[in-house]
Amino acid sequence: MAGNDLTKTLEVYFDQTVQGFDPSVVLAQQANQYSPKAVDMSRANNQFWRPQPVMLQMEDGWDTTGKNPQQLQKLNVPASINKSGNIEIALNLQEMQDPTNMQAATEAAQLQIASTIDLSVADTVAKSGSLVVTGAGAMNWKLANTAGTIMNEQGVGLGAERSFFFSPQHYNDLTDILGAKGSHSGDVKTAWDEARLPTNVAGFKTFQTDYSGFVAGSAANAITLAADVSYTPAAMKSATMGDGEVPVDNRSATMSVTVASGDPLKAGDAFTIAGVYAVHHIKKNVTKRLKTFRVIDVNGTTVEYSPPLISTGPYQNVSAKGASGAAITVLNTVDESPSIFWRKNSIEIVKGNFDGLQGMAGGARFMKATTKKLGFPIAMLYWLDGKGVVYSVKWLVFFGVNNLNSEMNGVVLPNQTKATQAVQAIQQPAPAGEGGSGEVKKEK
């Protein structure tokens, strides 16, 4: 086979990889996309900062005598391109004579690249999404609706683009509920005939996915705060080495805990703190639900958690500080493949590129392209090993998935041994707290 003919053949197959990529992606198509400049990424070691919305606080009255004006806090969130992957195959002379071999490899590469990106998106939300809904039984409509309700109560983009991804079992649970209805018409009929849910549920665009992450159960049950917990956001801090300041990542904070007995907290655990209720991020009214948090890391009795507990100021997200001795209740008591949900701009895929390949010398040739729907860069290298008479082909992908704001995404965990977190919280009155709007009466 002549060299030019082979190049043309590879280009055709590469086009097929690019064309086939987008339809295989479910989660990635609903996440936010960002394409930084290649030269900027190279100089910053593929790490950069993304701006957060500025928040201000309303004060009573008009007279500001004796009061200092508010300072703008332009908070930023770190993001990175930190995931690279490749698929390399080698075809000998005999295999190259059969074009179906390259066709099969192309289709397999397309599916694997798509799966890798979707898996990374799902794992990011499953591990760090801080809006947590739990239930004692199987997945049901109330749990799905509670996810939307929590977002509304906390001011997370009412009317903004939201997506909900049902795990395979949760999707099956809901179609069973619909299919069991007596009148088979509309959404009930599609659930019965095709095991398909409505495209919109509880204010979300809904999707069925074959993977939505994993949350391990936890036996931790005798843990309290070892000291008061409250966090004050800061835009900049002094550089650790050298002069000047550097941005602050305000997505997580640390707290000290006391473990009376049993298992400690672990990364991925979801929990509430007694007396700490969620507030609306803009209006600052206290909700009826305990604020949910996720464990990011654990070092002895020091726990890194997200989001930070902010009890005062323009970025207030809770009714009161966490009081020393307050009980921590872990919500993920049983292993579960969660359903996940988010507001679109909270989960961002950063797309790398392959401009640097153009300046590389060597025997390999390369092609690059972007997928049509997602605009995702893919490169393909190919070279001949003359000694072994083998042609090698390598597909490359380069990206990062970043949770820019864990308070705008989360997980639904049915089948937990404890009662639903939302119900637990509603059964007790919320305190006025620091900066809250007063007591919320108990519902009957």
Side-chain angles (χ1 to χ4, degrees):
M1 180 180 292
N4 288 338
D5 290 339
L6 177 59
T7 300
K8 183 176 180 181
T9 301
L10 288 172
E11 285 175 347
V12 170
Y13 288 131
F14 186 50
D15 286 345
Q16 290 174 348
T17 301
V18 173
Q19 290 173 0
F21 175 79
D22 285 313
S24 302
V25 177
V26 179
L27 288 89
Q29 285 188 349
Q30 305 307 315
N32 210 41
Q33 312 291 322
Y34 183 63
S35 300
K37 294 181 179 180
V39 65
D40 293 340
M41 289 298 92
S42 177
R43 292 169 179 170
N45 196 28
N46 293 314
Q47 295 182 333
F48 57 102
W49 293 81
R50 300 284 279 146
Q52 290 288 84
V54 173
M55 302 285 281
L56 293 173
Q57 187 173 9
M58 178 67 71
E59 301 286 350
D60 291 336
W62 292 353
D63 189 355
T64 57
T65 302
K67 297 181 179 180
N68 294 323
Q70 297 179 53
Q71 300 294 318
L72 289 181
Q73 284 188 309
K74 295 185 177 180
L75 305 185
N76 295 278
V77 176
S80 62
I81 306 175
N82 55 10
K83 297 183 183 297
S84 58
N86 77 88
I87 299 173
E88 181 178 343
I89 65 168
L91 299 175
N92 60 33
L93 179 62
Q94 181 176 350
E95 291 169 330
M96 285 297 295
Q97 291 173 342
D98 183 354
T100 62
N101 289 326
M102 189 61 189
Q103 176 71 37
T106 297
E107 293 174 353
Q110 167 256 311
L111 290 172
Q112 190 58 52
I113 291 172
S115 175
T116 298
I117 297 171
D118 252 22
L119 185 145
S120 182
V121 173
D123 282 341
T124 296
V125 181
K127 292 176 181 178
S128 60
S130 73
L131 302 179
V132 182
V133 181
T134 64
M139 184 67 172
N140 56 55
W141 293 106
K142 184 174 182 179
L143 292 179
N145 187 56
T146 299
T149 301
I150 288 175
M151 296 183 90
N152 294 343
E153 290 175 345
Q154 298 185 26
V156 183
L158 182 61
E161 190 168 352
R162 300 176 181 175
S163 299
F164 196 109
F165 302 87
F166 290 100
S167 71
Q169 183 57 53
H170 296 175
Y171 195 94
N172 182 67
D173 291 340
L174 291 184
T175 54
D176 278 352
I177 293 172
L178 272 182
K181 300 295 183 182
S183 176
H184 289 185
S185 61
D187 293 333
V188 174
K189 181 173 177 57
T190 58
W192 177 263
D193 294 342
E194 306 171 26
R196 179 162 54 87
L197 292 177
T199 56
N200 291 282
V201 171
F204 293 96
K205 291 197 302 183
T206 59
F207 302 87
Q208 181 181 19
T209 181
D210 56 0
Y211 178 78
S212 54
F214 176 76
V215 177
S218 174
N221 63 0
I223 299 177
T224 58
L225 293 181
D228 289 354
V229 176
S230 189
Y231 179 83
T232 301
M236 305 292 288
K237 66 179 181 180
S238 298
T240 303
M241 300 179 66
D243 296 331
E245 295 184 319
V246 294
V248 176
D249 183 359
N250 293 282
R251 293 177 300 176
S252 65
T254 59
M255 63 182 184
S256 296
V257 300
T258 299
V259 182
S261 62
D263 294 347
L265 293 169
K266 67 180 187 306
D269 280 351
F271 65 92
T272 59
I273 301 173
V276 178
Y277 288 80
V279 304
H280 192 287
H281 288 262
I282 306 299
K283 299 180 176 67
K284 306 305 181 186
N285 60 288
V286 180
T287 73
K288 303 174 184 178
R289 302 176 199 276
L290 293 173
K291 184 72 172 176
T292 53
F293 305 91
R294 299 298 296 275
V295 175
I296 305 301
D297 195 15
V298 178
N299 184 11
T301 58
T302 300
V303 176
E304 181 183 1
Y305 69 100
S306 179
L309 192 156
I310 305 172
S311 58
T312 61
Y315 292 92
Q316 179 188 0
N317 62 359
V318 294
S319 61
K321 66 182 180 182
S324 179
I328 291 176
T329 300
V330 175
L331 304 174
N332 52 299
T333 55
V334 178
D335 291 354
E336 182 67 21
S337 296
S339 288
I340 60 179
F341 59 95
W342 66 62
R343 178 182 175 179
K344 184 173 184 178
N345 63 352
S346 70
I347 300 297
E348 185 171 77
I349 301 175
V350 184
K351 297 178 282 191
N353 61 70
F354 301 95
D355 291 350
L357 289 175
Q358 295 174 340
M360 288 186 175
R365 302 181 67 180
F366 81 95
M367 306 170 195
K368 64 177 183 176
T370 56
T371 62
K372 290 183 178 179
K373 291 183 180 179
L374 202 58
F376 211 93
I378 301 176
M380 184 172 74
L381 300 175
Y382 54 101
W383 64 95
L384 175 65
D385 177 3
K387 292 184 178 181
V389 194
V390 171
Y391 223 98
S392 295
V393 182
K394 179 184 287 188
W395 292 269
L396 303 174
V397 66
F398 187 34
F399 68 101
V401 177
N402 299 285
N403 191 341
L404 300 183
N405 191 334
S406 70
E407 293 180 277
M408 293 183 176
N409 50 75
V411 297
V412 177
L413 300 171
N415 305 308
Q416 304 305 299
T417 55
K418 294 184 181 297
T420 305
Q421 171 267 334
V423 173
Q424 282 184 319
I426 287 174
Q427 289 175 345
Q428 51 188 308
E434 300 171 32
S437 60
E439 181 174 315
V440 178
K441 293 183 179 180
K442 178 179 177 182
E443 283 194 357
K444 295 181 178 181

